[in-house]
Amino acid sequence: MRNYSNIFKNLALLTHIGILMIIPIFGAVYLGNLVDQKLGTNNIFLIAFIILGVGSGFLNVYKVVMKDIKKKK
Amino acid sequence: MEGGFGPKIVFEIAGIKVTETVTNTWIIMALLILFSFLATRKLEQMPKGLQNFVELLVDGIYKLTAQTMGKDKIGFAPYIGTLLIYLVCANLAGLFALRPPTADVNTTMGLALITFFMIHFFGMKRKGVGKYLKGFLDPIPLMLPMNIISELATPISLSFRLFGNIVGGLIIMSLLYGGLAGIGAKLGIMIPIFQVGIPVPLHLYFDVFAGVLQSFIFSMLTMVFVSMAMD
């Protein structure tokens, strides 16, 4: 049971990491577009939000992976 | 098939539309309550029959929780067990010609929000509100918006993955049944002979395999995130 639990846990995290990386980026594009349309600005917010989204997507994955690595040490 | 693949409205109470999702959740809840009532009625020291199976199930869930979250968080086992059993039943509802309640983003979002609030509530409870909120400023205060976005991504990714998997299976199955009925009608066969055997492998994959795997992943991730926030 012990080994199986670990395998399933890693499998669950594996399927999660991909989505975790992509959702902030999509969310940021949507939000940036929305703010740009509301304020009538020319893609400034879109670019700013995309940078934020990409950063937080990376941060998400980094956090999950680092916590797992620290636990194993 | 007019109105797309959304849940049908069964009836209305005072202007509130009650959809198939809600009624099917009620059916599953009633069945689970009945099952737990029947399974715990005549408990004996030496288990046999149904009690054996239920003890195995409860024991398995407790062991899984202890291994994934740690021995000190064994108190989460009843919630995780409820979540797992409900999700398995909900995802397998498609086999009994019921629309799976998890094929509605409202259900999965509700469950993911429970996980989201659990993560933050137990994180704050264990670490203290100040220290927990200070964690959002790590490693530098400039990262605050990124940290907030990344926390908000968790419930969205949890709910959309489950919803997407189940609704994808549901749409493919309804298209297949529609197509097979069309072939039967074209050939002039009145008996639904094509719908008997052909969808079985797809039901096995979309309902049984994907359904059980996704419910397992959902409960596993709930455990992992709650224990991560607490450690």
Side-chain angles (χ1 to χ4, degrees):
Chain A
M1 189 76 189
R2 184 170 200 90
N3 291 331
Y4 283 127
S5 162
N6 239 342
I7 291 170
F8 282 131
K9 187 179 165 184
N10 289 338
L11 196 74
L13 279 176
L14 191 75
T15 62
H16 191 68
I17 279 175
I19 308 176
L20 210 55
M21 193 158 46
I22 228 167
I23 278 182
I25 301 173
F26 276 112
V29 169
Y30 176 76
L31 264 181
N33 232 336
L34 199 78
V35 173
D36 266 339
Q37 272 177 5
K38 282 264 148 76
L39 298 180
T41 41
N42 218 349
N43 289 344
I44 297 167
F45 281 99
L46 180 67
I47 293 164
F49 270 93
I50 285 176
I51 292 169
L52 262 181
V54 171
S56 62
F58 170 74
L59 192 71
N60 261 338
V61 176
Y62 178 78
K63 268 198 229 165
V64 170
V65 173
M66 284 316 281
K67 271 187 186 162
D68 215 42
I69 288 174
K70 264 184 206 163
K71 236 183 190 175
K72 275 182 188 148
K73 269 183 186 170
Chain B
M1 217 172 281
E2 69 267 16
F5 293 99
K8 287 190 207 82
I9 294 159
V10 182
F11 57 90
E12 270 186 44
I13 305 174
I16 299 168
K17 287 169 182 143
V18 177
T19 57
E20 260 181 308
T21 308
V22 181
T23 51
N24 290 354
T25 308
W26 286 341
I27 292 170
I28 291 165
M29 273 161 60
L31 288 176
L32 286 179
I33 291 169
L34 189 72
F35 174 73
S36 46
F37 173 73
L38 289 178
T40 52
R41 215 167 31 149
K42 282 187 210 140
L43 294 180
E44 287 168 34
Q45 197 74 35
M46 298 290 278
K48 58 184 176 193
L50 184 63
Q51 196 189 337
N52 243 333
F53 169 72
V54 175
E55 279 193 13
L56 194 74
L57 190 71
V58 172
D59 209 43
I61 287 165
Y62 269 80
K63 264 189 195 153
L64 187 75
T65 313
Q67 276 167 12
T68 316
M69 299 180 86
K71 283 248 161 43
D72 56 324
K73 300 181 199 72
I74 195 83
F76 285 103
Y79 173 67
I80 301 298
T82 313
L83 191 68
L84 186 63
I85 295 169
Y86 168 69
L87 281 176
V88 168
C89 291
N91 292 346
L92 291 182
L95 290 179
F96 302 100
L98 287 173
R99 189 193 158 85
T102 37
D104 191 331
V105 79
N106 299 304
T107 309
T108 55
M109 200 47 155
L111 294 172
L113 282 178
I114 296 176
T115 303
F116 177 72
F117 285 114
M118 268 172 81
I119 292 170
H120 296 292
F121 176 75
F122 287 106
M124 280 182 197
K125 205 176 164 191
R126 183 60 79 90
K127 292 180 181 167
V129 179
K131 198 184 167 203
Y132 184 76
L133 290 179
K134 206 169 156 273
F136 281 95
L137 301 175
D138 276 347
I140 47 168
L142 207 66
M143 299 282 256
L144 178 70
M146 283 189 196
N147 274 320
I148 291 173
I149 293 175
S150 80
E151 288 302 327
L152 290 178
T154 308
I156 296 174
S157 72
L158 270 177
S159 60
F160 278 24
R161 184 237 314 278
L162 181 62
F163 164 69
N165 268 290
I166 303 303
V167 88
L170 181 87
I171 290 173
I172 290 175
M173 290 319 294
S174 356
L175 287 177
L176 182 75
Y177 276 111
L180 289 175
I183 292 173
K186 259 273 182 327
L187 294 177
I189 304 166
M190 284 299 125
I191 313 156
I193 197 158
F194 289 111
Q195 286 102 308
V196 177
I198 296 170
V200 171
L202 286 167
H203 264 305
L204 270 181
Y205 177 73
F206 287 116
D207 286 328
V208 181
F209 178 71
V212 174
L213 189 72
Q214 288 307 321
S215 34
F216 190 79
I217 285 177
F218 194 99
S219 358
M220 202 74 182
L221 286 173
T222 299
M223 286 194 274
V224 170
F225 284 126
V226 173
S227 64
M228 263 185 189
M230 286 172 81
D231 290 333

Coordinates of all heavy atoms in Angstrom, one line a residue, chain B residues 12 33 37 58 88 105 127 137 140 150 172 182 192-193 206 231:
Chain B
E12 N -39.4 23.7 -11.4 CA -39.0 25.1 -10.9 C -39.7 25.2 -9.5 O -40.8 24.8 -9.3 CB -39.6 26.2 -11.8 CG -38.6 26.6 -12.9 CD -39.0 27.8 -13.7 OE1 -39.5 28.7 -13.1 OE2 -38.9 27.7 -14.9
I33 N -26.9 7.5 1.6 CA -27.4 7.5 3.0 C -28.0 6.2 3.3 O -27.8 5.6 4.4 CB -28.5 8.7 3.2 CG1 -27.8 10.0 3.1 CG2 -29.2 8.5 4.5 CD1 -28.7 11.2 3.0
F37 N -26.7 3.5 6.1 CA -27.7 3.1 7.1 C -27.7 1.5 7.1 O -27.6 0.9 8.2 CB -29.1 3.6 6.8 CG -30.1 3.1 7.7 CD1 -30.2 3.5 9.0 CD2 -31.1 2.2 7.3 CE1 -31.1 3.0 9.9 CE2 -32.0 1.7 8.1 CZ -32.1 2.1 9.4
V58 N -13.4 1.6 4.7 CA -13.1 2.7 5.7 C -11.6 2.6 6.0 O -10.9 3.6 6.1 CB -14.0 2.5 6.9 CG1 -13.6 3.4 8.0 CG2 -15.5 2.8 6.5
V88 N -16.9 9.1 -7.0 CA -17.0 7.8 -7.7 C -18.4 7.6 -8.2 O -18.7 7.2 -9.3 CB -16.4 6.7 -6.9 CG1 -16.7 5.3 -7.6 CG2 -14.9 6.8 -6.8
V105 N -20.3 22.4 -14.3 CA -19.2 23.1 -13.7 C -19.6 23.6 -12.3 O -18.7 23.8 -11.4 CB -18.7 24.2 -14.6 CG1 -19.5 25.4 -14.6 CG2 -17.2 24.5 -14.2
K127 N -0.6 27.8 11.2 CA 0.5 28.7 11.3 C 0.2 30.1 12.0 O 1.1 30.8 12.3 CB 1.0 29.0 9.8 CG 1.6 27.8 9.1 CD 2.0 28.2 7.7 CE 2.6 27.1 7.0 NZ 2.7 27.4 5.6
L137 N 4.0 37.1 0.8 CA 5.0 38.1 0.4 C 6.4 37.4 0.1 O 7.4 38.1 -0.2 CB 5.2 39.2 1.5 CG 4.0 40.0 1.8 CD1 4.3 40.9 3.0 CD2 3.5 40.8 0.7
I140 N 9.9 37.8 -2.2 CA 10.0 39.3 -2.1 C 8.6 39.8 -2.2 O 7.8 39.2 -2.8 CB 10.9 39.9 -3.2 CG1 10.6 39.3 -4.6 CG2 12.4 39.7 -2.9 CD1 11.2 40.0 -5.7
S150 N -1.6 32.7 -8.3 CA -1.3 31.2 -8.3 C -2.2 30.5 -7.2 O -2.5 29.4 -7.5 CB 0.2 31.0 -8.0 OG 0.4 31.1 -6.6
I172 N -19.2 12.8 -26.0 CA -18.8 11.7 -27.0 C -19.9 10.6 -26.9 O -20.3 10.1 -28.0 CB -17.4 11.2 -26.7 CG1 -16.4 12.3 -27.1 CG2 -17.1 9.9 -27.5 CD1 -15.0 12.0 -26.7
G182 N -29.1 6.7 -35.6 CA -29.2 7.2 -37.0 C -29.0 6.1 -38.0 O -29.7 5.9 -39.0
P192 N -33.2 -1.3 -31.3 CA -31.9 -0.6 -31.1 C -30.7 -1.6 -31.0 O -30.1 -1.7 -29.9 CB -32.1 0.2 -29.8 CG -33.2 -0.5 -29.1 CD -34.0 -1.1 -30.1
I193 N -30.4 -2.3 -32.1 CA -29.4 -3.4 -32.0 C -28.0 -2.8 -32.0 O -27.1 -3.4 -31.3 CB -29.7 -4.3 -33.2 CG1 -29.0 -5.7 -32.9 CG2 -29.2 -3.7 -34.5 CD1 -29.5 -6.8 -33.7
F206 N -14.5 6.0 -20.7 CA -15.0 7.3 -20.3 C -15.6 7.3 -18.9 O -15.4 8.3 -18.1 CB -15.9 8.0 -21.3 CG -15.2 8.4 -22.5 CD1 -15.5 7.8 -23.8 CD2 -14.2 9.4 -22.5 CE1 -14.8 8.2 -24.9 CE2 -13.5 9.7 -23.6 CZ -13.9 9.2 -24.8
D231 N 1.8 22.2 6.5 CA 3.2 21.9 6.9 C 4.1 23.1 6.9 O 4.0 23.9 6.0 CB 3.8 20.8 6.0 CG 3.1 19.5 6.3 OD1 2.7 19.3 7.4 OD2 3.1 18.6 5.3

